[in-house]
Amino acid sequence: HVQEHCFTLPQIGACLRELGLELVALHPRPDVLAAFRAAFPAPSAASDLALWDRFELRHPEIFREMIFFSCRRP
């Protein structure tokens, strides 16, 4: 679609900061989440966009589709 834009995870983080929002969670496929949790087992890791970015750099195929996430006002 002509109005679609592709964003990197760092760009999403910058948008959230600019809007005064914080990431609650990414909502990837279950297999992707399991692999991420195996790589980064800390409970807070799943809401860390920098860790997700590192994970995506190692596995560039994981976000070939749309990324769903939830955010909130702190």
Side-chain angles (χ1 to χ4, degrees), residues 16-55:
L16 293 176
R17 282 188 300 278
E18 184 177 322
L19 294 168
L21 300 172
E22 64 184 15
L23 179 72
V24 173
L26 287 179
H27 306 288
R29 295 185 326 257
D31 61 315
V32 172
L33 183 57
F36 178 84
R37 286 187 171 154
F40 302 102
S44 62
S47 62
D48 187 330
L49 282 177
L51 293 179
W52 277 104
D53 188 49
R54 284 177 43 197
F55 186 73

